[in-house]
Amino acid sequence: MHFIRQVTTAHSSIITERSNVSSMIKQRCLLPLLSGRSGSCRLCETFTPAPAKDQFQEELVIRPLHSGDIYASFQFRTLWDTDFLQEGQKKVSHYRLFPKSLGQVLSKFSVQELHISFTQGFWRTMQWGQPFIPSPPGAELWVWFHHTVSDVDGNWKELTNVLSGIFCASLNFIDMTNTVQPSASFKPLGLGNATDHRFLRYATLPREIVCTENLTPWKKLLPCGSKAGLAVLMKSEKLFHSSFHSQAVHIRPICQDEQCTSKAWELRQTLNVVFDHYTSGQGKKEWSLFKMFSRTLTEACPLASSSKVYVDITDNPELSPATPLLSQAVVLGDRRTYSVYDLTRAETFGQLRSFNLLLRWKGDNMLRPLLHAERYVAGFGLQTGEIHTVIYNNHPYRAFPVLLMDSVPWYLQLYIHTLTVTSKSRDNKPSYIHYQPAKDRHRPHLLEMLIQLPPHSMTEVTVQFERALLKWTEYTPDPNHGFYVGSSVISALVPSMVAMSTNFTQDQPLFSSFVPVKEESSYFVRVYTEPLLVNLPTPDFSMPYNVICLTCTVVAVGYGSFYNLLTRTFQVDEPSPPLAKRLANFIRRIRGVPLLA
């Protein structure tokens, strides 16, 4: 609270200096609202502030996994009733809840949608099920630009460098050699009906390492930072000591009501963590907020209109403290029941003003995900190889199509004529294929296919490739470790086991409303495979070191000796007299007689 009041007061003083007396009265009246305090002001009797055009929501979803792990998903949503891209509109200069750094990025580069994620670890679909919002290992960035942008590649290059500074990441390594333009795999998730893929750019950095310096700027984008609300649980020591953690930022324009009479910009910040209680030594099926995060909740964010904690109780666990508030939601084709804890209510924290949740889980039932995929490299030697992508359809009686997208670096030269797709030992001909060949040192391969998956089947996609020999300046500092190839992206509308409700309500949980689906019989799923680690023909980089050492030795010995001969001064050394003569001169010197010549 103290931190928020300081920021709010400073921001209010800046506006006051640029305003007149009436504007000063307005700021003094809005100060209690901005700081989250309730109070009265005599000057407010003559002025009624306008309703806020932005709002903030936060929620935490906790789900015990059947593998014994714990899945915690944070979601923070900021809505702002404004338009950064509308022509002729006055430039937005006042920011309340929406981060100014991201707002300026949207306005400057004419960004229609922005999706960025940083992930450490791999999501194990067969053990953990489907995540609420999937993401591949490493860094992923895909952006839809506005149709008025003339130089998309130029905006893309500048945008990656700006985002690299905002999130303290290596996004500046994104260039045209690892950027593709998917034709069908990625569609706008917001209001944009754009189908022209010329305004879409997609890139991944599978080797990006996620650490505290990426989490800190991500938390600073929140209205309350990490000082209040659910963000106080984000302790780096605990979050990064986990099996999987992924932080993401999604920005898109959406409708505020069902008739779409008003539009708004949505900023959704997500943080997904999987805690492994085997490695932490905390037991398998008993956990609490304090054990996971080393902290408890004391208050909601004062600027949040909604702050809730959802706990999945579908398998009838023992939950303490109990709550009478229950909620049912259909998530990824499965109807789940959640206990809801509203942090805006004082009775949630009790007399101790501290909220610690304890759960003992007894469920053992495991629902296999209907869609699962994996990928690996086959072959031997350092010349040729094969990429195998295996897609599983675990539905007992329904077949459905999937859209597979592969982005392969240029130094793996694909033989597209060797592409084969088999299902149940039979050829499976794709109904749609889009292939863009790579250009050496300019762009990667792009392969997109629409494949029909038979029910209860395994479909294998195989393509051969040849390894290229790079220039010695193109190798990484550790070339023997290998080169990473980004994950395959599989998008599909999976048949649902239960009837889904598509009614739009503001009270719908955030975790169940990110991807809208108009059909009640299916739900959208995006699956990422493992990134590949491929070895390339690597020269012996120790040979230059040996040559340098030998050359330096020859130069030191040869040139040193020659230089010594040229610069040395030679003098004639006279021979010393015999011993008898030296004794005679010694006696003569004592007697004072002249010495012998």
Side-chain angles (χ1 to χ4, degrees):
M1 284 294 296
H2 181 66
F3 172 78
I4 299 171
R5 293 173 184 173
Q6 288 181 345
V7 174
T8 307
T9 306
H11 181 62
S12 178
S13 62
I14 295 175
I15 299 178
T16 304
E17 294 177 358
R18 300 179 181 180
S19 306
N20 52 20
V21 177
S22 61
S23 195
M24 293 173 60
I25 297 175
K26 178 180 177 181
Q27 292 301 323
R28 290 186 59 186
C29 295
L30 290 179
L31 183 58
L33 298 177
L34 294 176
S35 60
R37 296 176 294 170
S38 60
S40 60
C41 178
R42 295 183 179 179
L43 297 176
C44 296
E45 298 176 358
T46 59
F47 175 79
T48 302
K53 294 184 178 181
D54 52 358
Q55 59 176 334
F56 174 68
Q57 298 172 292
E58 60 178 3
E59 71 178 27
L60 167 62
V61 184
I62 299 175
R63 180 180 179 181
L65 302 176
H66 297 280
S67 60
D69 304 323
I70 302 298
Y71 176 36
S73 176
F74 295 85
Q75 295 207 34
F76 304 90
R77 184 192 192 195
T78 304
L79 285 178
W80 194 8
D81 184 10
T82 188
D83 194 350
F84 296 103
L85 307 180
Q86 185 176 356
E87 297 181 359
Q89 186 183 15
K90 186 178 179 181
K91 184 178 179 182
V92 179
S93 58
H94 176 67
Y95 292 81
R96 179 175 177 265
L97 299 179
F98 201 94
K100 185 176 182 179
S101 58
L102 296 182
Q104 292 176 340
V105 167
L106 298 178
S107 178
K108 177 177 177 56
F109 300 106
S110 300
V111 175
Q112 185 72 22
E113 281 193 21
L114 187 147
H115 305 270
I116 183 173
S117 64
F118 301 94
T119 306
Q120 187 69 28
F122 177 69
W123 183 270
R124 306 180 183 277
T125 308
M126 293 301 294
Q127 299 180 14
W128 300 339
Q130 296 288 351
F132 296 134
I133 300 179
S135 58
E140 180 192 42
L141 175 64
W142 57 284
V143 177
W144 278 95
F145 290 94
H146 200 257
H147 60 85
T148 58
V149 177
S150 58
D151 186 9
V152 178
D153 292 334
N155 281 24
W156 170 255
K157 182 178 180 180
E158 294 183 18
L159 177 63
T160 55
N161 284 273
V162 171
L163 294 178
S164 177
I166 293 177
F167 294 100
C168 196
S170 303
L171 299 178
N172 55 307
F173 284 96
I174 294 179
D175 52 17
M176 299 312 298
T177 62
N178 50 21
T179 301
V180 294
Q181 304 175 23
S183 62
S185 297
F186 291 89
K187 298 297 181 183
L189 298 180
L191 292 178
N193 295 323
T195 57
D196 193 349
H197 64 276
R198 294 179 302 171
F199 300 99
L200 171 65
R201 294 295 183 271
Y202 175 86
T204 58
L205 295 175
R207 201 176 181 178
E208 180 71 12
I209 304 300
V210 186
C211 57
T212 307
E213 61 186 11
N214 306 119
L215 180 63
T216 300
W218 184 90
K219 292 190 294 186
K220 290 182 178 180
L221 298 177
L222 299 173
C224 294
S226 58
K227 305 298 182 180
L230 297 176
V232 299
L233 299 177
M234 298 179 185
K235 190 177 181 180
S236 302
E237 179 183 354
K238 289 294 183 178
L239 294 181
F240 294 106
H241 188 68
S242 59
S243 301
F244 174 88
H245 58 87
S246 174
Q247 61 188 64
V249 172
H250 304 276
I251 306 177
R252 60 176 180 172
I254 64 171
C255 296
Q256 290 196 14
D257 50 20
E258 189 174 359
Q259 291 77 21
C260 202
T261 57
S262 60
K263 303 177 183 179
W265 280 87
E266 180 194 62
L267 166 63
R268 189 184 295 252
Q269 297 179 239
T270 63
L271 177 65
N272 298 323
V273 187
V274 176
F275 293 97
D276 185 359
H277 278 200
Y278 286 105
T279 59
S280 60
Q282 298 174 1
K284 179 179 179 181
K285 297 181 179 181
E286 180 178 345
W287 57 267
S288 66
L289 287 180
F290 185 79
K291 287 183 178 180
M292 286 192 300
F293 303 104
S294 295
R295 294 178 181 178
T296 57
L297 295 173
T298 57
E299 62 176 345
C301 176
L303 300 177
S305 60
S306 174
S307 180
K308 297 180 180 180
V309 176
Y310 293 85
V311 182
D312 193 339
I313 59 171
T314 308
D315 298 325
N316 299 321
E318 297 180 6
L319 193 61
S320 176
T323 175
L325 298 179
L326 299 178
S327 174
Q328 283 192 352
V330 178
V331 184
L332 300 174
D334 188 16
R335 189 178 300 278
R336 312 294 295 182
T337 304
Y338 297 90
S339 292
V340 184
Y341 296 88
D342 193 349
L343 300 184
T344 58
R345 298 183 177 182
E347 56 269 18
T348 303
F349 300 95
Q351 298 180 353
L352 299 178
R353 298 296 302 169
S354 177
F355 177 69
N356 185 26
L357 197 61
L358 177 65
L359 185 143
R360 295 180 178 89
W361 183 54
K362 298 181 179 180
D364 291 323
N365 298 326
M366 180 176 180
L367 299 177
R368 297 182 62 187
L370 297 182
L371 182 61
H372 172 59
E374 58 186 18
R375 189 165 67 149
Y376 60 92
V377 178
F380 58 90
L382 292 178
Q383 183 177 2
T384 60
E386 290 182 348
I387 297 179
H388 292 255
T389 304
V390 184
I391 308 174
Y392 298 89
N393 177 12
N394 297 323
H395 201 287
Y397 55 87
R398 288 284 299 275
F400 56 88
V402 297
L403 192 60
L404 172 65
M405 189 195 80
D406 262 332
S407 177
V408 182
W410 62 268
Y411 46 78
L412 299 183
Q413 302 170 356
L414 295 182
Y415 294 149
I416 200 64
H417 68 278
T418 63
L419 178 66
T420 59
V421 182
T422 58
S423 298
K424 296 183 176 180
S425 303
R426 297 180 181 179
D427 291 338
N428 188 347
K429 185 177 180 180
S431 57
Y432 169 80
I433 295 181
H434 172 247
Y435 174 66
Q436 183 183 48
K439 290 184 179 180
D440 289 355
R441 299 174 179 85
H442 285 86
R443 72 182 184 193
H445 301 270
L446 175 62
L447 176 62
E448 290 182 286
M449 296 183 297
L450 185 63
I451 307 173
Q452 185 76 14
L453 301 183
H456 197 65
S457 64
M458 180 187 70
T459 302
E460 185 174 8
V461 181
T462 305
V463 62
Q464 297 180 6
F465 66 90
E466 182 178 354
R467 296 171 171 88
L469 184 62
L470 305 180
K471 298 179 181 179
W472 72 273
T473 56
E474 296 174 341
Y475 285 92
T476 58
D478 52 347
N480 292 310
H481 177 75
F483 292 79
Y484 283 88
V485 180
S487 304
S488 296
V489 184
I490 300 173
S491 307
L493 286 176
V494 179
S496 177
M497 294 293 189
V498 298
M500 301 180 66
S501 176
T502 58
N503 294 329
F504 183 89
T505 58
Q506 288 289 351
D507 295 334
Q508 189 177 9
L510 300 181
F511 61 89
S512 62
S513 61
F514 180 66
V515 180
V517 178
K518 298 181 180 180
E519 301 179 4
E520 294 186 3
S521 60
S522 60
Y523 60 95
F524 179 80
V525 169
R526 180 166 286 151
V527 178
Y528 294 91
T529 63
E530 304 92 337
L532 299 179
L533 185 61
V534 182
N535 290 324
L536 296 182
T538 305
D540 186 4
F541 285 101
S542 64
M543 286 303 297
Y545 173 76
N546 297 335
V547 172
I548 292 174
C549 292
L550 179 60
T551 304
C552 291
T553 303
V554 173
V555 169
V557 174
Y559 178 78
S561 301
F562 184 71
Y563 180 80
N564 191 19
L565 292 175
L566 292 178
T567 58
R568 178 178 296 177
T569 302
F570 295 92
Q571 296 180 356
V572 179
D573 189 9
E574 297 181 357
S576 57
L579 179 60
K581 188 176 181 181
R582 283 184 292 175
L583 291 175
N585 289 334
F586 178 73
I587 296 173
R588 283 175 173 271
R589 186 180 298 108
I590 296 175
R591 296 175 58 186
V593 180
L595 301 179
L596 297 176

